[in-house]
């Protein structure tokens, strides 16, 4: 068993919410700011008054807007994706954790039929790469809800100078965030599923990452618990390790028959859903 | 399936080599310091100020 899979198996012994809380505190620990040389693994605004790391998406826009190839940042994100796939989305991203918490609120739940897995790639291409390259401005930052929540609102509350300058863009961002927060209570992880450009970067590496969940079709009882528990509402039997899977490994934990497990890297699912369900 | 696994492994190692080279090059070019300089002041568009 490779060390990545071993580490992930250890991670599964801990409740995911505690790891997410720890990651959110660590990334916003007001730690000595030399860490801002390092991009945060999850989506976390560097302008948050307590942020310890640089924002990966903000950094990408910065380099692209300056017409430089983001070698360092791209390599850090790429290597993270190559090793763990979208594990960051499932376990470390503070904004992902917020969505998991919001969905626990007892309100009417709604599961959109449209999956649109390509939409976040369009957002990555247009708002993070193309528009910043053409205009020299950071377009995704202008709509980023994590920035509004972690930086915009705190700074408007903390600083009279910032409050004076906040205009229509701030109002637009707060309205967008309010809509998204409402949506988070009804739908599982809508931002991750439809909009997150960082999730899109990691998703590119998900199908070949060292960390993989394996399906043993012969052990599957067809109970469907993996589908029920999946926070991004995919069918783990066919779509685990796909670009939509966030490697939270809840399906591995929930499977009563051990049909889903952390397996040898490179090992592919052994059957299709049709074969599994007869 | 084994052929597919083999291809996946080749892709993995190739990408790992390219990304490692990019990481070293980026560090030599001082991009970590550039990231620090960028991430130090406030991000005005993130806050909602143009």
């Amino acid at each position: 068993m490779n060390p990545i899979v071993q580490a992930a198996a250890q991670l599964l012994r801990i409740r995911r919410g505690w790891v997410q809380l720890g990651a959110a505190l660590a990334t916003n620990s007001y730690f000595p700011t030399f860490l801002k040389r390092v991009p945060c693994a999850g989506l976390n605004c560097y302008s948050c008054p307590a942020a310890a790391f640089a924002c990966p998406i903000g950094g990408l826009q910065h380099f692209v807007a300056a017409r430089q190839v983001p070698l360092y940042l791209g390599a850090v994100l790429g290597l993270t994706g190559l090793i763990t796939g979208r594990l960051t989305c499932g376990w470390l991203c503070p904004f992902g954790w917020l969505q998991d918490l919001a969905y626990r609120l007892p309100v009417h739940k709604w599961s959109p039929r449209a999956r649109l897995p390509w939409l976040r790639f369009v957002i990555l291409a247009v708002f993070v790469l193309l528009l910043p390259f053409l205009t020299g401005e950071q377009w995704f930052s202008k709509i980023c809800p994590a920035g509004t929540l972690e930086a915009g609102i705190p700074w408007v509350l903390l600083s009279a100078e910032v409050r004076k300058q906040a205009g229509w863009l701030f109002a637009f961002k707060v309205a967008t965030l309010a809509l998204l927060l409402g949506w988070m209570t009804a739908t599982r992880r809508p931002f991750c599923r439809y909009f997150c450009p960082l999730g899109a970067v990691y998703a590119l590496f998900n199908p070949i990452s060292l960390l993989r969940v394996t399906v043993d079709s012969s052990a599957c009882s067809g109970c469907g618990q993996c589908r029920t528990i999946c926070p991004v509402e995919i069918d783990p039997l066919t779509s685990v390790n796909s670009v939509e899977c966030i490697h939270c490994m809840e399906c591995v934990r929930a499977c009563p028959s051990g049909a889903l497990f952390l397996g040898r890297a490179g090992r592919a699912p052994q059957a299709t859903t049709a074969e599994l369900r007869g | 399936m084994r052929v597919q696994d083999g291809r996946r492994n080749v892709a993995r190692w190739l990408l790992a080599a390219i990304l490692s080279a990019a990481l070293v090059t980026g560090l030599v070019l001082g991009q970590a310091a550039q990231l620090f300089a960028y991430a130090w002041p406030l991000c005005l568009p993130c806050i909602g100020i143009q």
Side-chain angles (χ1 to χ4, degrees):
Chain A
M1 194 184 283
N2 79 52
I4 306 302
V5 171
Q6 275 180 325
Q10 290 300 320
L11 201 60
L12 268 181
R13 293 171 196 267
I14 311 168
R15 203 168 153 182
R16 194 162 59 96
W18 288 114
V19 178
Q20 290 172 304
L21 170 65
L25 291 175
T27 48
N28 293 292
S29 58
Y30 200 63
F31 202 72
T33 44
F34 66 89
L35 282 175
K36 285 196 174 178
R37 285 175 173 81
V38 181
C40 175
L43 192 68
N44 193 77
C45 187
Y46 78 77
S47 284
C48 171
F53 296 89
C55 169
I57 293 300
L60 273 181
Q61 292 175 92
H62 166 74
F63 282 107
V64 172
R67 309 244 166 147
Q68 289 185 50
V69 180
L71 290 170
Y72 164 68
L73 195 51
V76 172
L77 296 181
L79 288 169
T80 307
L82 195 59
I83 294 167
T84 63
R86 289 187 70 186
L87 179 91
T88 296
C89 306
W91 289 80
L92 303 176
C93 179
F95 208 66
W97 181 49
L98 173 73
Q99 291 171 85
D100 285 345
L101 291 178
Y103 188 73
R104 288 190 187 182
L105 290 175
V107 298
H108 178 71
K109 302 302 176 191
W110 173 56
S111 177
R113 278 191 189 175
R115 300 207 63 89
L116 312 179
W118 46 267
L119 184 56
R120 55 178 178 265
F121 293 103
V122 172
I123 290 172
L124 172 69
V126 174
F127 287 90
V128 180
L129 301 175
L130 185 64
L131 287 176
F133 181 79
L134 294 176
T135 65
E137 289 188 48
Q138 298 181 24
W139 284 88
F140 184 76
S141 299
K142 292 176 193 283
I143 55 171
C144 178
T148 316
L149 183 70
E150 295 165 5
I153 293 171
W155 277 112
V156 162
L157 294 174
L158 286 170
S159 162
E161 190 60 36
V162 171
R163 206 158 38 242
K164 260 190 269 173
Q165 293 181 58
W168 68 267
L169 182 61
F170 179 73
F172 166 77
K173 288 193 69 166
V174 171
T176 311
L177 174 66
L179 280 174
L180 189 63
L181 285 171
W183 193 8
M184 285 176 197
T185 62
T187 300
R188 286 169 160 173
R189 288 202 177 220
F191 185 75
C192 304
R193 288 163 66 181
Y194 298 107
F195 307 116
C196 184
L198 184 59
V201 173
Y202 290 136
L204 293 171
F205 298 91
N206 229 21
I208 57 163
S209 67
L210 280 174
L211 176 67
R212 309 187 66 72
V213 176
T214 304
V215 181
D216 178 4
S217 54
S218 59
C220 178
S221 64
C223 67
Q225 284 191 39
C226 53
R227 266 177 298 150
T228 310
I229 203 157
C230 178
V232 285
E233 299 183 351
I234 58 172
D235 183 350
L237 293 176
T238 53
S239 304
V240 77
N241 307 316
S242 72
V243 294
E244 292 183 83
C245 171
I246 58 168
H247 275 166
C248 65
M249 299 180 283
E250 290 292 344
C251 53
V252 174
R253 213 195 293 256
C255 181
S257 52
L260 289 150
F261 57 93
L262 294 169
R264 182 167 59 84
R267 189 172 169 188
Q270 296 158 355
T272 63
T273 309
E275 288 167 320
L276 289 171
R277 306 236 162 82
Chain B
M1 202 58 80
R2 281 186 182 223
V3 174
Q4 199 184 10
D5 287 354
R7 281 183 189 155
R8 197 178 277 148
N9 268 329
V10 170
R12 233 180 243 140
W13 283 108
L14 200 62
L15 258 176
I18 292 167
L19 290 170
S20 302
L23 181 68
V24 173
T25 312
L27 286 171
V28 169
L29 290 174
Q31 289 194 347
Q34 281 184 52
L35 185 66
F36 177 78
Y38 156 73
W40 179 240
L42 291 183
C43 166
L44 295 181
C46 304
I47 291 173
I49 298 170
Q50 273 202 308

